[in-house]
Amino acid sequence: MAIMEVTVPDIGDFDEVTVIELMVKPGDSVKAEQSLITVESDKASMEIPSSHAGVVKELKVGLGDKVKKGSLILMLEVADEVAASAPVAASAVAPAPAVPAVAAAAPAPAVVSSGPVEVRVPDIGDFKDVTVIEVMVKAGDAVKVEQSLITVESDKASMEIPSSAAGVIKELKVKLGDKVNMGDLLAILEGSVALAATATAAPATVRPESVRPELVEGVEGVEGHAAAPAAALAAPAHIPAATPAPGLPHASPSVRKFARELGVPLNEVKGTGLKGRITDTDVEAFTRSVMSGAVQTLAIAAQQAAGPAAGGGGSELGLIPWPKVDFAKFGPVERKEMSRIKKISGANLLRNAIMIPAVTNHDDADITDLEAFRVATNLENEKTGKAGIHAGVKVTMLAFLIKACVAALKKYPEFNSSLDGDALIYKQYFHIGFAADTPNGLMVPVIKDADKKGIFQISQEMGELAQKARDGKLSPAEMSGASFTISSLGGIGGRYFTPIINAPEVAILGVCRSTIEPVWDGKAFQPRLMLPLSLTWDHRVIDGAAAARFNVYLGQILGDFRRVLL
Ligand code: CAO
């Protein structure tokens, strides 16, 4: 065994960076490429990997130490042959630098252009396909030279990409989750665009830590300016002070990855590391405090401060924000905008699911005789042909269900009511909505005055409304005014489900596919056609016993429709 020194490899343009995380300790076995420490500048944090496998004998850096290329990180015990083959004794620079090898600042004359200017990803060293994890600007924003536009992250480093030109963002060419490489177009600036000034300034005027774009290209043909490599700033007065990334928490890539895996919002985590840096221990502690409820108080306070209009993300409910996952890390993905209908119905469903204390009762109705009647009716109607008054109309099970529900709603009127503060509005009309599956999403057309219509008429209207829904031709009037809704998945399949109440209604009936089942008649099992029913109801208005009664009554009617007349 031999001892070798592991030093900081070439970290590009970075003069001195601070050690913010020690990832190994004496006695640890490390693999080649395993991260040893995390270092950080104003604009980037990166993990420094080991270029050899071995056992850590002694750490030579501590938290807060400033290191640069060649600084000794640790002493590593390695196999003799490894030490012998090491190119330079004691120097274990990683073969692939773990940091952005930012191109040296190239002198360039300051230029002013009034035409559109493309801002591209600069030389980010050895990194390929880095992920955009934060977009800090939007179209229409005025940006200064050096203002950070996006943050990108690889497995080993995260870095902000600043603009090397000032101007107004005409178009942003990247979004969250995109993979970018050197030269990729980030944004197009317009207005009086001041291109990043020359690098002829003394190094002292350059923030040594900043990762800066080296490529700022004028759109060809416009103003005749071609690419103007730019780095440092001639006029420090124009440089925004080392801009902390707005909203981006202070944490290393591995901590961020850890937080993402746990769904922890890093911006809510208090960092206990150096300069308030978030460590993985902080992430764990945050998770524990959420589990115990301690963090909810903070979130609710934030919600109160933000007011009810502060939408999305769950913070208004005292919930931690929705986890942001870079799915592309796990496999190929494609992003597609949801349809307008899906967005609208989604918002309604979310509100109803959250605001209604809903309970679902499941039951079965014996529809053996009813189905036989339905089939016979349709056969008979077909025979009558064009001569019949209901020519071409197919009687559907859903039409019977609508009629049966009307009967149950009449018997149990609170199911046909709506909450109005402390009062209930009992509707004396029976408008029944039915969920229709359309290529654009879920729609709920309404059969008005279902109590006054026969099965044929309801079947016919339903067919027409369902067709209109699929064609996207339903009028708002045809979708409003329901006092109760049925969602039938019977034509598709399934057993039971828990439909979400269509507020301000107070109940909804879910129906699934009927199946022949053995039913005990007191002497023997009989094959009966059983229809699964799932009734979801608002517990503020309806009691469990009433819901059970409603289902039982519904089952009785579906079992013997003559009961409707009683
Ligand atoms: N059990 C067994 N079979 C059933 C059934 C049931 N409960 N209900 C209907 N079927 C059968 C019918 O017999 C018919 O079979 P045939 O084609 O062999 O005659 C087939 O399913 C289609 O039935 P249908 O023409 O009567 O249509 P429908 O009334 O069942 O449905 C509509 C109409 C608009 C409700 C339906 O097309 C639809 O969109 N359903 C989905 C609703 C939905 O998405 N709900 C979920 C909302 S919550 O996300």
Side-chain angles (χ1 to χ4, degrees):
M1 290 300 214
I3 303 289
M4 68 184 300
E5 293 180 343
V6 177
T7 58
V8 175
D10 180 0
I11 49 171
D13 228 15
F14 298 85
D15 257 11
E16 267 197 341
V17 286
T18 310
V19 177
I20 54 150
E21 197 178 9
L22 302 173
M23 300 158 110
V24 292
K25 57 182 184 323
D28 282 357
S29 292
V30 296
K31 297 181 191 145
E33 287 297 304
Q34 182 176 331
S35 297
L36 302 174
I37 57 172
T38 307
V39 295
E40 185 192 57
S41 74
D42 268 6
K43 293 283 180 190
S45 63
M46 60 206 92
E47 291 171 18
I48 307 284
S50 179
S51 57
H52 292 86
V55 175
V56 177
K57 291 310 281 179
E58 199 184 341
L59 265 177
K60 293 290 191 184
V61 287
L63 281 180
D65 285 359
K66 301 272 186 207
V67 294
K68 55 186 180 187
K69 179 185 170 186
S71 298
L72 184 58
I73 300 174
L74 52 79
M75 308 300 288
L76 195 68
E77 188 176 61
V78 296
D80 287 338
E81 56 274 23
V82 172
S85 66
V88 182
S91 178
V93 176
V99 293
V102 176
V111 198
V112 173
S113 161
S114 60
V117 168
E118 293 183 349
V119 178
R120 292 178 179 273
V121 177
D123 181 357
I124 46 173
D126 245 8
F127 290 82
K128 297 268 180 307
D129 290 334
V130 287
T131 308
V132 177
I133 59 161
E134 194 183 23
V135 178
M136 297 148 160
V137 288
K138 57 183 184 322
D141 282 359
V143 295
K144 297 177 188 161
V145 175
E146 282 293 299
Q147 181 175 332
S148 296
L149 301 178
I150 59 169
T151 306
V152 294
E153 187 182 62
S154 75
D155 273 4
K156 299 278 180 198
S158 66
M159 60 205 106
E160 291 171 28
I161 307 285
S163 181
S164 52
V168 174
I169 295 184
K170 187 178 169 210
E171 216 179 325
L172 255 185
K173 294 290 193 181
V174 287
K175 58 181 183 321
L176 278 183
D178 280 359
K179 303 272 185 203
V180 294
N181 288 292
M182 173 183 162
D184 285 354
L185 186 58
L186 290 181
I188 296 176
L189 304 189
E190 65 175 1
S192 184
V193 176
L195 300 183
T198 106
T200 51
T205 64
V206 182
R207 276 185 296 129
E209 299 89 349
S210 69
V211 174
R212 53 189 79 253
E214 262 59 52
L215 287 172
V216 179
E217 294 188 2
V219 176
E220 286 224 289
V222 178
E223 298 286 315
H225 295 311
L233 302 155
H238 294 153
I239 311 171
T243 24
L248 190 68
H250 223 41
S252 71
S254 54
V255 169
R256 270 211 279 276
K257 183 164 175 263
F258 181 48
R260 267 202 305 274
E261 281 165 4
L262 293 178
V264 166
L266 269 185
N267 55 342
E268 289 183 28
V269 179
K270 191 174 173 347
T272 58
L274 203 69
K275 291 192 209 156
R277 200 164 179 86
I278 300 165
T279 64
D280 49 5
T281 318
D282 296 331
V283 173
E284 282 168 359
F286 181 86
T287 311
R288 275 196 298 275
S289 62
V290 167
M291 303 300 281
S292 68
V295 159
Q296 203 175 18
T297 329
L298 289 173
I300 288 170
Q303 173 216 347
Q304 284 166 349
S315 63
E316 60 272 38
L317 293 171
L319 304 176
I320 59 172
W322 199 257
K324 262 189 193 171
V325 177
D326 174 15
F327 300 106
K329 283 193 171 170
F330 306 110
V333 294
E334 185 193 4
R335 185 187 159 89
K336 276 189 183 169
E337 278 301 308
M338 288 207 292
S339 71
R340 202 178 62 87
I341 291 172
K342 270 228 156 89
K343 285 184 205 163
I344 295 169
S345 62
N348 279 284
L349 289 165
L350 177 64
R351 180 203 54 207
N352 300 347
I354 289 169
M355 291 186 68
I356 302 174
V359 184
T360 305
N361 283 32
H362 302 290
D363 211 336
D364 295 317
D366 185 336
I367 58 163
T368 318
D369 298 339
L370 182 60
E371 176 62 4
F373 175 67
R374 188 186 76 85
V375 171
T377 306
N378 280 334
L379 277 175
E380 201 178 307
N381 197 37
E382 269 174 37
K383 269 190 221 154
T384 326
K386 286 186 181 160
I389 54 164
H390 303 301
V393 178
K394 190 179 121 190
V395 168
T396 67
M397 182 52 69
L398 194 47
F400 283 104
L401 278 159
I402 288 176
K403 276 310 253 191
C405 282
V406 168
L409 293 172
K410 282 184 176 171
K411 192 168 168 78
Y412 300 102
E414 67 267 36
F415 286 81
N416 202 44
S417 73
S418 280
L419 261 174
D420 182 23
D422 289 337
L424 278 183
I425 310 290
Y426 287 89
K427 291 148 208 166
Q428 323 231 314
Y429 53 84
F430 298 89
H431 301 340
I432 311 297
F434 66 96
D437 181 34
T438 82
N440 287 324
L442 181 67
M443 308 206 74
V444 186
V446 181
I447 303 280
K448 302 273 165 55
D449 297 315
D451 55 322
K452 301 188 179 100
K453 292 174 181 165
I455 297 288
F456 272 112
Q457 190 179 351
I458 292 176
S459 297
Q460 182 169 4
E461 274 188 30
M462 259 180 41
E464 289 164 2
L465 288 170
Q467 191 55 50
K468 272 190 170 181
R470 284 183 210 114
D471 296 344
K473 289 185 178 152
L474 279 178
S475 69
E478 286 167 325
M479 291 187 281
S480 49
S483 53
F484 182 84
T485 294
I486 302 179
S487 175
S488 172
L489 295 171
I492 303 167
R495 194 69 183 159
Y496 302 96
F497 68 114
T498 54
I500 294 173
I501 294 169
N502 194 17
E505 294 155 44
V506 294
I508 182 170
L509 181 72
V511 182
C512 282
R513 194 168 188 80
S514 56
T515 48
I516 300 275
E517 284 174 32
V519 176
W520 185 251
D521 69 357
K523 292 183 192 139
F525 281 107
Q526 302 294 343
R528 306 295 294 177
L529 186 63
M530 304 303 288
L531 180 71
L533 304 174
S534 303
L535 179 74
T536 300
W537 41 279
D538 185 336
H539 211 333
R540 293 171 298 180
V541 178
I542 295 157
D543 294 330
R549 284 190 195 105
F550 185 98
N551 263 355
V552 168
Y553 183 63
L554 197 60
Q556 286 170 348
I557 292 172
L558 292 168
D560 186 346
F561 234 81
R562 291 172 303 181
R563 286 174 181 272
V564 172
L565 303 169
L566 296 177

